[in-house]
Amino acid sequence: MPVVRGKDIEVLFSASTIARRNLELAKEIAAHEYTDLLVISVLKGSFIFAADLIRAMHDVDLSPEVEFIFISSYGAGTTSGEVRVLRDIENDVAGRDVLLIDDILESGKTLSFARNLMLDRGAKSCSIAVLLDKRMRRQTTLNADYVGFDCPDYFVVGYGMDVAHAFRELPFVGIVKGDA
Ligand code: IMP
Ligand code: MG
C-alpha cells in the first residue's frame, strides 16, 4: 500500500485504470457530435481529470475550447448546502454546447447550480462528465451524462481531490486509512 505523508493510502482506482476509462469517456463524448464544444473544468478538484480527459479527447479528434470555473459549496453534503461562484468563466456560453467536468457527483447541488447557470446564460446544451459518482449520496434529480466510475461511499483523495488541501498530487484515487 502506498504511504504518503506518513499515511497508508488504499488505491481505489489506479492511474492506468483511470487512463483507460478516460479514453472510453472521450469516445462516448465524441459520439455525440457536439458543435463548438466548450469544456468547463470545475475547480479545484477536477483539474487533473479535466487535463487528462481533454487530452483523451484530442486522441479522438475533438478540439474543445477550455474554460475554468471556481465554485465553492458549503456543506454540500447537507441540506443547507449553499453554492457560490468564486471565479467565473471568461467567455460567452450562449448558443454553445457546454460540457462541465467535475471530480465527484455527490448530492448534485454543485453541478445542478453550475448546469442551471449555463442554461440560464443561454447555452444550447449543458452536459456533465464526472470521474466519480456517489449515487447513494444524491439529494437532487441530477445525473451525469458521462461517468468514469461508480464510487463507494468513502471519502476519496488523489487525482486532484483533497482532504484539508492534501493529496491532490496522487496519480491515483485512494482512501486514506487510519485517522486522516
Ligand atoms: P455535491 O455533488 O454538490 O454534493 O458535491 C460534490 C463535491 O464535493 C465534489 O466536487 C468534491 O469537491 C466534493 N467531494 C465530495 N466527495 C468527496 C470525496 O470523497 N473526496 C473529495 N471531495 C469530495
Ligand atoms: Mg468540487
Side-chain angles (χ1 to χ4, degrees):
M1 211 181 277
V3 179
V4 184
R5 296 174 190 254
K7 303 282 186 195
D8 289 328
I9 313 280
E10 182 185 329
V11 178
L12 203 55
F13 301 106
S14 71
S16 59
T17 299
I18 294 170
R20 269 197 304 277
R21 186 70 187 125
N22 283 345
L23 188 56
E24 291 172 358
L25 289 178
K27 288 175 181 164
E28 287 179 32
I29 294 166
H32 276 82
E33 298 182 354
Y34 297 113
T35 51
D36 196 19
L37 184 62
L38 173 64
V39 160
I40 303 178
S41 164
V42 180
L43 297 174
K44 298 176 184 175
S46 80
F47 78 109
I48 293 179
F49 174 48
D52 283 348
L53 185 59
I54 63 173
R55 283 179 289 184
M57 289 167 75
H58 166 77
D59 289 342
V60 294
D61 289 328
L62 291 176
S63 308
E65 188 178 332
V66 182
E67 277 269 14
F68 302 89
I69 191 166
F70 190 168
I71 295 180
S72 175
S73 35
Y74 294 98
T78 72
T79 45
S80 62
E82 178 204 334
V83 185
R84 285 192 307 160
V85 176
L86 299 183
R87 214 212 78 178
D88 210 337
I89 57 170
E90 289 166 353
N91 284 334
D92 198 1
V93 299
R96 304 193 63 181
D97 284 321
V98 170
L99 176 66
L100 290 167
I101 299 184
D102 206 355
D103 52 359
I104 303 191
L105 176 54
E106 206 175 81
S107 72
K109 286 176 183 173
T110 309
L111 283 170
S112 290
F113 172 88
R115 185 170 188 273
N116 288 337
L117 185 65
M118 297 308 151
L119 293 174
D120 285 349
R121 290 174 177 179
K124 185 168 93 186
S125 71
C126 185
S127 316
I128 292 173
V130 293
L131 178 70
L132 303 175
D133 191 351
K134 289 187 183 172
R135 294 172 200 267
M136 71 297 284
R137 293 265 172 176
R138 201 79 88 251
Q139 294 178 31
T140 61
T141 56
L142 190 83
N143 276 309
D145 302 272
Y146 310 99
V147 175
F149 305 96
D150 283 320
C151 187
D153 194 12
Y154 295 111
F155 196 85
V156 297
V157 298
Y159 201 65
M161 293 173 281
D162 73 309
V163 59
H165 309 292
F167 302 114
R168 289 194 200 273
E169 74 283 6
L170 303 182
F172 53 83
V173 173
I175 302 164
V176 183
K177 308 303 279 187
D179 61 358

